[in-house]
């Protein structure tokens, strides 16, 4: 018995020893070379390889050994009792593609310690972008984009809120050169876009990075035979419309407004208006179907020692209203050539050059406002008026609205831009660790502006102005001289990547203009001449020149230990001519830490493939001042008379005080977050928490005119602003079976803006209908609260303050009831209250992609929440004190309709029409399906041998919007930071349909 038990115990021990046997092995790459720092995980144990790729781990039969290294595809081996396990790991192409440009360097996304978002146009291959590059970033977390649909309009891009009272546009870097991604940029040329959102990522750009940095990398040629890519698309666009009255309903409401005014004792009115005989639907006449054509061709290829990418693009936009159109031509050439001098030295030269020509017919009026300001009774044409167009008239239907057809006929504004930008570079790689690069960047910008004013009137009571012509020519030249030295080396488990460099950037802007009156016309055609020599009198000329220089030194070090511990440190020294000599140098450092906790031996969570924690802190700058704001300038316009002959002598004087102590706005930013990859890398999560505080914000200092300062308020560094928030990005990629693939990207952000200090004892200031106060966000709505309508005379009498005073003694049933907030017995400006924020607190973005065989479907959605919008057009056509068109569903109060929702119309009376009331303040939140695109890749059986790929697709834009805002577009563009959600008749984003085709050889 004892012997039997002993034998069983021996067997169990033997099995245990066998189950926990040491397993040795070696990890190599596809070239059979050792791969070090590979994490090996078993069921109960984790270890790492040595520098020779060798490892030892305890394992039991049936255990799964998991081999992982960033940049390599993970491998799994089931242990069956063998004493040696050798693994050959392959390159993970997808991870290698995740290379991020962070300014003068590229790093793997896996090694990032800063907040960087990446957008690749190929991942949204059916996206339609007709405006600027920023239009494509609507679903990037932490980036707020507002766009407009007019040809030539440029959207507003803001990264992580407003940290300045001045220009809050981010810095654009295209192929390493500081350059704007304006309306003249060809979106088809873009390979990837990196958005640098925090100090760690952006500090290498120092004094210009306070508003964030957007780095654009254009396409380059790849090894192989020439590839020819052709694409063509046509978009049809149309605008949403107001719900306005037609002729008969308008007359009925207008007669009611006049009748109420007369009944209230308006002695200026002798009776109802004499109505015109017109019957004009101004929206139908002014709005039209816009056509956008975009045609692109590119040639790319290369060999071992040279590569090239050449593209050409043509885009035209006919506009969705009269008087708007644009046309663009671009040509790009990206080439490079390499020569090896032995095994350790490689020399490369290359260039990235773009030529663009942009021609836009600018709007001379605002048709979005004109269509509701003009009356349906006024005809488009009327020979009784100077110029022959229909206008308001005092004896008939009076309106000071602009006839848009007259304005577009009698004025002609054109802007033409010719631009050449890019860089040439040379680099030398030596000893497999150093790389020296010299880059010469350039941006030549030539603008030609013309404005012709013909004879004729477009509004009532307009003075008879002479014809006039103004021509303006302006040119800017910007150069960038960069010298950088990179060092990249692996020392066992230690990896170091660093760069040091210097940059010199001179900038020159010149403008020359002239104007004359009395423009001659062609006697045969009646058309006006477009040259100043064809005008007869009143010549005026002028010119100006601006210069600036920026000299910088910078450096960054990235350190990686064993794929676990990451450290990055950056510093930049900028010296700018925009500041006085004692304040023209600034230092902008940052430091960042990262910990890839998933590579630690103690971390054994099988469903987490990668987990990285990171945090950073740094200083950035902004310089929102003009070229010579610190210099006291002399003006030469005053004149004085001396002597008996009273000869006028031109003098000189200083009219604006200057502040020589101006310095950079300094932005301190802290960012903490994590990146995680889960469930075999199908699910990815990125989280950010940030706090950025901008000190020394430039604000105009109000100085009394009695001091002699009448040229504008000088800037001072006074205010402090804070933005804090969180960003969350989620993505899921998977497939069902072998044919169906799908992906979902969701992101959301929360932002809280606050004024910490205004300086010089100020606690608040007003801007129209908003107020900014210390402790609150910039530009909160500050309006008088309303409480519905008075339904009876008793309600008017009952509306009293705490002292029993009648608050609105002139009110009648059907008038708006205002809240006496300060309880003084009257409605004045002092009764305004804070009524909500102009800054959205929450932003949402989503991309959904589905694929089945050759078909793919993409859906792009955006949303913004937590803000109020002021509906300016509604305030215009709901006022009735001044004639315009009216809302078709206006529910006017009358004695027969006492439960109406809208007040009684009164012409020439502001009781119900004051613009500082909250009646037109609406919830601005919205969710919009920006684009829905369906594409199909034709099979090879149809395309043949020489066609690499053929594709057709269709796309709809802005078709579905869920919102409580009653204006044309809740996503309207207003570039003012003080009342950014004031809709003053902003050009809406059009709805559209696009059909396109792509062909590759």
């Amino acid at each position: 018995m004892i012997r039997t038990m002993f034998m069983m115990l021996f067997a169990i021990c033997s099995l245990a020893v066998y189950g926990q046997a040491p397993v040795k092995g070696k990890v190599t790459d596809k070239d059979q070379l050792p791969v070090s720092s590979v994490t090996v995980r078993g069921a109960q144990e984790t270890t790492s390889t040595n520098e020779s790729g060798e490892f030892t781990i305890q394992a039991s039969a049936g255990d799964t050994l998991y081999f992982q290294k960033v940049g390599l595809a993970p491998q799994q081996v089931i242990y069956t009792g063998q004493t040696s396990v050798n693994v050959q790991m392959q390159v993970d192409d997808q991870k290698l593609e995740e290379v991020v440009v962070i300014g003068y360097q590229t790093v793997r996304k896996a090694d990032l310690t800063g907040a960087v978002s990446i957008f690749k146009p190929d991942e949204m291959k059916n996206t339609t972008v007709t405006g600027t590059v920023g239009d494509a970033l609507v679903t990037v977390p932490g980036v707020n984009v507002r766009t407009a649909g007019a040809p030539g309009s440029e959207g507003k891009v803001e990264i992580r809120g407003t940290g300045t009272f001045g220009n809050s546009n981010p810095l654009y870097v295209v192929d390493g050169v500081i350059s704007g991604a304006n309306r003249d940029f060809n979106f088809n040329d873009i390979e990837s876009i990196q958005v640098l959102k925090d100090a760690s990522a952006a500090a290498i750009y120092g004094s210009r990075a306070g508003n964030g940095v957007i780095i654009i990398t254009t396409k380059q040629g790849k090894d192989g035979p020439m590839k020819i890519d052709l694409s063509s698309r046509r978009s049809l666009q149309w605008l949403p419309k107001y719900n306005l009255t037609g002729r008969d309903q308008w007359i009925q409401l207008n007669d009611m407004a006049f009748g109420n005014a007369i009944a209230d004792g308006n002695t200026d009115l002798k009776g109802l208006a004499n109505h015109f005989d017109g019957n004009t639907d101004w929206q139908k006449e002014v709005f039209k179907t816009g056509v956008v054509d975009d045609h692109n061709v590119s040639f790319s290829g290369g060999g071992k020692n040279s590569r090239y990418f050449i593209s050409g693009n043509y885009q035209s936009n006919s506009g969705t209203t009269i008087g708007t159109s644009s046309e663009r031509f671009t040509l790009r050439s990206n080439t490079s050539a390499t020569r090896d001098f032995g095994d350790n030295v490689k020399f490369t030269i290359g260039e990235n050059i773009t030529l663009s020509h942009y021609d836009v017919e600018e709007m001379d009026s605002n048709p979005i406002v004109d269509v509701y300001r003009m009356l349906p009774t006024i005809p488009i044409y009327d020979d009784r008026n100077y110029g022959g167009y229909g206008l308001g008239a005092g004896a008939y239907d009076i309106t000071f609205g602009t006839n848009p057809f007259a304005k577009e006929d009698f004025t002609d504004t054109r802007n033409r831009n010719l631009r050449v930008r890019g860089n040439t570079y040379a680099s030398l790689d030596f000893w497999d660790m150093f790389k020296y690069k010299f880059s010469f960047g350039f941006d030549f910008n030539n603008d030609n502006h013309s404005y012709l004013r013909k004879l004729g009137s477009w509004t009532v009571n307009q003075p008879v102005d002479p014809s006039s012509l103004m021509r303006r020519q302006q040119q800017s030249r910007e150069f960038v001289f960069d010298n950088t030295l990179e060092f990249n080396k692996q020392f066992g488990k230690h990896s170091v990547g660093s760069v040091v460099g210097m940059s010199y950037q001179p900038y020159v802007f010149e403008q020359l203009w002239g104007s004359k009156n009395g423009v001659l016309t062609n006697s045969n055609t009646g058309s006006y001449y477009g040259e100043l020599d064809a005008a007869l009198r009143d010549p005026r000329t002028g010119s100006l020149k601006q210069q600036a220089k920026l000299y910088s030194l910078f450096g960054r070090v990235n350190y990686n230990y064993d794929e676990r511990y990451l450290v990055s440190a950056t510093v930049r020294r900028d010296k700018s001519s925009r500041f006085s000599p004692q304040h023209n140098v600034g230092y902008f450092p940052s430091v960042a830490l990262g910990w890839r906790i998933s590579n630690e031996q103690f971390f054994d969570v099988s469903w987490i493939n990668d987990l990285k924690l990171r945090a950073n802190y740094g200083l950035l700058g902004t310089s929102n001042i003009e070229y010579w704001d610190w210099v006291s300038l002399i003006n030469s316009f005053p004149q004085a008379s001396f002597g008996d002959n009273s000869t006028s002598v031109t003098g000189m004087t200083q009219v604006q005080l200057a502040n020589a102590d101006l310095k950079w706005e300094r932005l301190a930013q802290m960012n903490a977050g994590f990146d995680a990859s889960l469930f075999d890398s199908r699910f990815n999560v990125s989280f950010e928490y940030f706090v950025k505080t901008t000190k020394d914000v430039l604000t105009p200092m109000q100085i009394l005119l009695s001091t002699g300062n009448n040229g504008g308020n000088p800037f001072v560094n006074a205010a402090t602003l804070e933005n804090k928030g969180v960003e969350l990005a989620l993505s899921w990629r998977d497939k069902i079976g072998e044919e169906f693939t799908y992906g979902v990207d969701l992101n959301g952000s929360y932002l809280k803006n606050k004024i910490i200090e205004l300086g010089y004892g100020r606690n608040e200031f007003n801007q129209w209908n908003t107020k900014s106060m210390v402790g609150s966000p910039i530009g909160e709505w500050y309006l008088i609260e309303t409480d519905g309508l008075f339904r009876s005379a008793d309600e008017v009498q009952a509306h009293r303050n705490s002292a029993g005073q009648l608050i609105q003694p002139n009110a009648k049933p059907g008038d708006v009831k205002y809240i006496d907030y300060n309880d003084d017995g009257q409605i004045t400006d002092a009764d305004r209250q804070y009524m909500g924020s102009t800054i959205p607190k929450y932003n949402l973005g989503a991309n959904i992609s589905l694929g089945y065989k050759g078909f793919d479907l993409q859906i792009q959605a955006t949303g913004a929440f937590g803000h109020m919008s002021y509906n300016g057009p509604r305030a215009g056509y709901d006022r009735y004190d001044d004639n315009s068109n009216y809302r078709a569903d206006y529910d006017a109060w009358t004695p027969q309709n006492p439960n109406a929702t809208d007040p009684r119309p009164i012409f020439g009376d502001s009781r119900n029409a004051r613009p500082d009331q909250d009646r037109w303040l609406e919830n601005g939140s919205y969710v919009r399906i920006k684009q829905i695109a369906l594409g199909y890749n034709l099979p090879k059986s149809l395309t043949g041998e020489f066609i690499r790929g053929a594709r057709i697709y269709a796309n709809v834009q802005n078709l579905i919007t869920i919102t409580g805002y009653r204006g044309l577009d809740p996503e309207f563009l207003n570039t003012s930071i003080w009342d950014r959600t004031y809709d003053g008749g902003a050009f809406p984003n059009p709805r559209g349909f696009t059909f396109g085709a792509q062909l590759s050889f």
Side-chain angles (χ1 to χ4, degrees):
M1 182 67 178
I2 296 176
R3 182 179 177 182
T4 302
M5 294 178 62
F6 177 77
M7 293 297 293
M8 292 176 63
L9 180 62
F10 179 78
I12 293 172
C13 291
S14 298
L15 288 172
V17 171
Y18 174 78
Q20 289 293 320
V23 181
K24 295 183 178 181
K26 186 174 183 179
V27 182
T28 58
D29 62 15
K30 63 182 179 65
D31 297 320
Q32 301 293 333
L33 298 175
V35 180
S36 62
S37 302
V38 177
T39 299
V40 186
R41 293 207 304 260
Q44 303 292 332
E45 193 169 344
T46 300
T47 188
S48 297
T49 61
N50 61 18
E51 295 181 6
S52 300
E54 299 169 340
F55 69 92
T56 300
I57 191 172
Q58 297 289 329
S60 302
D63 286 352
T64 298
L65 303 182
Y66 186 82
F67 298 80
Q68 181 186 31
K69 179 179 174 65
V70 175
L72 299 177
Q75 296 274 354
Q76 295 186 31
V77 176
I78 298 177
Y79 176 59
T80 59
Q82 64 269 41
T83 57
S84 178
V85 175
N86 295 323
V87 174
Q88 185 181 87
M89 301 189 74
Q90 301 295 321
V91 172
D92 187 343
D93 293 332
Q94 182 177 359
K95 288 191 179 265
L96 275 184
E97 289 177 357
E98 292 296 308
V99 175
V100 181
V101 181
I102 56 173
Y104 306 102
Q105 277 182 302
T106 59
V107 299
R108 296 181 306 170
K109 187 178 180 181
D111 295 337
L112 274 177
T113 53
V116 179
S117 292
I118 303 173
F119 176 84
K120 294 184 177 180
D122 285 346
E123 295 177 359
M124 290 295 292
K125 49 195 169 189
N126 298 331
T127 301
T128 297
V129 176
T130 57
T132 57
V133 171
D135 298 355
L137 304 177
V138 291
T139 59
V140 174
V143 181
N144 181 263
V145 181
R146 291 274 179 148
T147 59
S153 64
E154 300 195 355
K156 172 70 174 178
V157 179
E158 199 169 72
I159 300 176
R160 290 187 169 180
T162 301
T164 176
F165 290 153
N167 182 2
S168 61
N169 294 329
L171 179 73
Y172 287 87
V173 182
V174 181
D175 290 329
V177 179
I178 308 298
S179 179
N182 306 77
R183 61 194 184 185
D184 58 1
F185 197 90
N186 180 16
F187 182 77
N188 300 284
D189 288 340
I190 297 177
E191 179 73 24
S192 67
I193 302 174
Q194 282 80 221
V195 183
L196 314 185
K197 298 183 286 188
D198 67 356
S200 170
I204 197 74
Y205 292 106
S207 65
R208 295 168 294 177
N211 297 323
V213 181
I214 296 177
I215 297 180
I216 298 173
T217 303
T218 60
K219 295 176 181 178
Q220 304 290 324
K222 297 178 181 179
D223 291 350
M226 177 188 290
K227 297 178 181 179
I228 304 174
D229 292 287
L230 303 170
S231 67
S232 181
R233 70 170 185 259
R234 166 163 284 194
S235 299
L236 303 179
Q237 299 180 335
W238 61 94
L239 297 179
K241 292 184 178 181
Y242 302 109
N243 182 23
L244 300 177
T245 62
R247 171 184 170 84
D248 294 339
Q249 186 183 5
W250 184 87
I251 291 175
Q252 179 184 1
L253 288 170
N254 186 258
D255 289 347
M256 185 186 300
F258 271 69
N260 286 331
I262 294 171
D264 283 0
N266 189 329
T267 58
D268 293 331
L269 301 178
K270 307 305 181 184
L272 302 182
N274 298 316
H275 301 302
F276 286 106
D277 295 330
N279 187 3
T280 307
D281 184 340
W282 288 96
Q283 291 186 106
K284 182 179 179 181
E285 300 293 340
V286 173
F287 294 173
K288 63 179 183 178
T289 300
V291 179
V292 181
D293 287 322
D294 189 284
H295 309 292
N296 198 78
V297 59
S298 66
F299 308 89
S300 63
K304 179 181 178 181
N305 296 319
S306 62
R307 296 180 179 182
Y308 61 90
F309 174 86
I310 299 172
S311 72
N313 176 261
Y314 170 77
Q315 184 187 93
S316 64
N317 188 342
S318 69
T320 50
T321 70
I322 63 169
T324 60
S325 65
S326 66
E327 191 175 48
R328 184 188 72 193
F329 300 88
T330 64
L331 179 66
R332 171 175 291 277
S333 172
N334 295 347
T335 63
S336 65
T338 301
R339 171 73 184 273
D340 288 328
F341 294 90
D343 295 334
N344 296 321
V345 179
K346 182 173 68 174
F347 177 71
T348 302
I349 60 171
E351 51 78 24
N352 303 284
I353 298 176
T354 301
L355 171 67
S356 65
H357 180 267
Y358 198 92
D359 187 347
V360 58
E361 181 184 2
E362 303 281 6
M363 290 188 299
D364 290 303
S365 62
N366 186 346
I368 310 304
V369 172
D370 296 339
V371 294
Y372 73 77
R373 286 289 288 155
M374 290 300 290
L375 313 182
T377 58
I378 297 178
I380 297 176
Y381 304 100
D382 190 337
D383 292 336
R384 292 173 293 181
N385 296 318
Y386 177 53
Y389 285 91
L391 310 172
Y396 289 87
D397 294 324
I398 180 66
T399 180
F400 289 95
T402 296
N403 185 324
F405 289 93
K407 187 68 181 292
E408 293 303 327
D409 186 5
F410 297 141
T411 62
D412 184 16
T413 302
R414 302 197 70 91
N415 282 295
R416 298 174 180 87
N417 173 270
L418 178 63
R419 191 171 187 179
V420 182
R421 56 183 167 181
N423 71 332
T424 61
Y425 60 89
S427 65
L428 185 67
D429 296 73
F430 52 99
W431 299 338
D432 292 330
M433 68 180 78
F434 290 104
K435 179 178 181 179
Y436 167 75
K437 183 177 182 180
F438 168 75
S439 175
F440 168 63
F442 49 87
D443 190 346
F444 295 95
N445 211 339
N446 194 324
D447 284 306
N448 188 321
H449 170 86
S450 65
Y451 173 77
L452 173 64
R453 195 322 187 178
K454 305 175 186 178
L455 296 175
S457 295
W458 50 78
T459 189
V460 68
N461 295 341
Q462 187 175 358
V464 180
D465 293 323
S467 61
S468 62
L469 176 66
M470 193 273 282
R471 296 291 301 270
R472 182 176 68 235
Q473 191 82 21
Q474 57 190 34
Q475 183 184 89
S476 63
R477 304 184 300 276
E478 189 166 14
F479 302 105
V480 182
F481 301 88
D482 286 339
N483 287 274
T484 59
L485 179 64
E486 288 187 62
F487 173 79
N488 296 281
K489 184 66 176 176
Q490 182 89 27
F491 304 93
K493 296 183 179 182
H494 306 271
S495 176
V496 178
S498 63
V499 63
V500 294
M502 61 81 63
S503 179
Y504 173 62
Q505 186 172 348
Y507 174 80
V508 177
F509 173 85
E510 295 179 287
Q511 182 185 98
L512 179 69
W513 64 270
S515 68
K516 293 175 76 175
N517 293 336
V519 185
L520 297 174
T521 60
N522 187 307
S523 59
N524 294 322
T525 63
S527 61
Y528 285 75
Y529 289 106
E531 301 301 328
L532 289 174
D533 281 351
L536 301 178
R537 60 183 186 276
D538 306 324
R540 296 174 298 277
T541 60
S543 67
L544 63 87
K545 183 176 182 179
Q546 304 283 13
Q547 291 179 297
K549 295 180 180 180
L550 181 69
Y551 177 74
S552 307
L553 301 173
F554 53 85
R556 181 197 287 123
V557 176
N558 298 320
Y559 172 72
N560 181 334
Y561 175 72
D562 196 25
E563 301 290 351
R564 290 183 290 164
Y565 309 116
L566 308 170
V567 180
S568 178
T570 306
V571 65
R572 182 172 179 124
R573 177 189 184 271
D574 280 333
K575 184 176 182 180
S576 172
S577 65
R578 292 177 184 253
F579 301 93
S580 63
Q582 61 267 34
H583 297 291
N584 64 359
V585 175
Y587 295 88
F588 306 94
S590 76
V591 62
L593 303 174
W595 179 24
R596 182 166 290 107
I597 190 174
S598 57
N599 282 358
E600 296 287 356
Q601 293 188 6
F602 63 79
F603 190 90
D604 187 17
V605 183
S606 60
W607 49 275
I608 297 180
N609 305 104
D610 190 66
L611 177 60
K612 178 177 62 178
L613 309 180
R614 49 187 169 75
N616 63 72
Y617 178 83
L619 299 177
L620 302 173
T622 59
S623 53
N624 285 310
I625 62 173
E626 294 300 326
Y627 300 91
W628 307 106
D629 280 348
W630 60 277
V631 177
S632 299
L633 301 179
I634 302 297
N635 289 44
S636 60
F637 65 80
Q639 292 185 338
S641 298
F642 299 94
D644 296 336
N645 295 327
S646 298
T647 303
S648 295
V649 179
T650 300
M652 295 185 180
T653 184
Q654 178 183 351
V655 297
Q656 182 180 12
L657 297 179
N659 179 13
D661 293 327
L662 290 177
K663 53 188 177 182
W664 272 290
E665 299 176 340
R666 299 181 66 84
L667 185 148
Q669 184 167 186
M670 183 279 294
N671 191 94
F674 70 85
D675 303 304
S677 181
L678 303 85
F679 309 122
D680 294 330
S681 299
R682 290 176 295 174
F683 184 47
N684 292 279
V685 182
S686 181
F687 174 82
E688 313 281 352
Y689 170 75
F690 65 90
V691 179
K692 66 176 190 179
T693 304
T694 312
K695 298 183 178 181
D696 296 327
V697 176
L698 292 162
T699 61
M701 184 63 184
Q702 296 180 357
I703 297 179
L704 295 176
L705 295 179
S706 59
T707 64
N709 181 72
N710 64 354
N713 297 318
F715 281 98
V716 293
N717 296 98
T720 301
L721 304 176
E722 179 186 82
N723 290 276
K724 62 173 58 175
V726 296
E727 299 166 7
L728 177 64
L730 310 172
S731 68
W732 178 271
R733 297 285 186 278
D734 205 354
K735 64 180 181 178
I736 300 174
E738 295 299 323
E739 301 286 353
F740 184 80
T741 61
Y742 66 95
V744 179
D745 294 273
L746 296 174
N747 68 76
S749 61
Y750 165 79
L751 177 70
K752 183 179 181 180
N753 174 271
K754 184 168 66 173
I755 300 173
I756 303 297
E757 182 183 9
L758 286 174
Y760 294 89
R762 294 181 299 170
N763 290 317
E764 61 185 36
F765 60 88
N766 289 57
Q767 293 281 343
W768 187 59
N769 276 341
T770 67
K771 174 175 276 193
S772 300
M773 184 173 67
V774 171
S776 299
I778 297 173
E780 288 192 297
W781 288 112
Y782 194 58
L783 302 165
I784 296 175
E785 184 181 3
T786 59
D787 186 20
L789 307 178
F790 292 112
R791 304 294 175 180
S792 64
D794 291 339
E795 288 189 13
V796 174
Q797 293 300 315
H799 188 43
R800 299 175 181 269
N801 69 348
S802 58
Q805 294 174 289
L806 187 62
I807 297 173
Q808 293 177 245
N810 296 325
K812 291 185 177 182
D815 288 343
V816 175
K817 181 181 179 181
Y818 300 102
I819 299 299
D820 182 17
Y821 184 66
N822 67 347
D823 198 35
D824 66 351
Q826 55 184 336
I827 302 301
T828 65
D829 192 64
D831 291 309
R832 295 188 185 214
Q833 304 180 49
Y834 289 99
M835 305 295 290
S837 176
T838 62
I839 303 175
K841 291 183 179 179
Y842 305 94
N843 283 277
L844 170 72
N847 290 313
I848 300 173
S849 59
L850 307 173
Y852 181 71
K853 294 186 177 180
F855 291 93
D856 55 78
L857 176 68
Q858 296 173 329
I859 302 173
Q860 184 186 70
T862 62
F865 311 90
H867 63 287
M868 304 297 290
S869 295
Y870 190 97
N871 194 333
R874 193 180 179 97
Y877 52 69
D878 272 10
R879 290 181 53 153
Y880 285 89
D881 62 325
D882 177 27
N883 270 352
S884 66
N885 205 335
Y886 309 133
R887 179 162 44 92
D889 59 353
Y890 192 88
D891 185 21
W893 185 96
T894 64
Q896 296 76 30
N897 187 24
N899 296 319
T901 57
D902 296 310
R904 64 189 182 111
I906 319 174
F907 180 79
D909 194 304
S910 63
R911 270 177 289 182
N912 298 327
R914 56 186 308 157
D916 57 359
Q917 61 179 297
D918 69 347
R919 227 174 94 214
W920 300 297
L921 191 67
E922 302 172 3
N923 188 338
S925 301
Y926 68 90
V927 174
R928 164 169 283 174
I929 306 299
K930 290 287 292 184
Q931 304 201 40
I932 303 176
L934 177 64
Y936 178 65
N937 295 299
L938 275 65
K940 291 292 293 182
S941 59
L942 294 179
T943 58
E945 177 183 357
F946 297 102
I947 297 179
R948 185 164 47 94
R951 175 181 177 79
I952 57 175
Y953 66 92
N955 182 320
V956 293
Q957 306 103 44
N958 301 319
L959 195 61
I960 302 173
T961 303
I962 302 172
T963 182
Y965 181 68
R966 294 176 289 183
L968 294 183
D969 184 4
E971 202 181 1
F972 59 83
L973 172 64
N974 182 347
T975 58
S976 169
I977 67 169
W978 310 110
D979 53 6
R980 67 181 66 211
T981 52
Y982 167 66
D983 182 357
F987 206 103
N989 289 283
R991 297 170 180 144
F993 174 81
T994 300
F995 180 80
Q998 299 167 348
L999 193 62
S1000 300
F1001 298 92

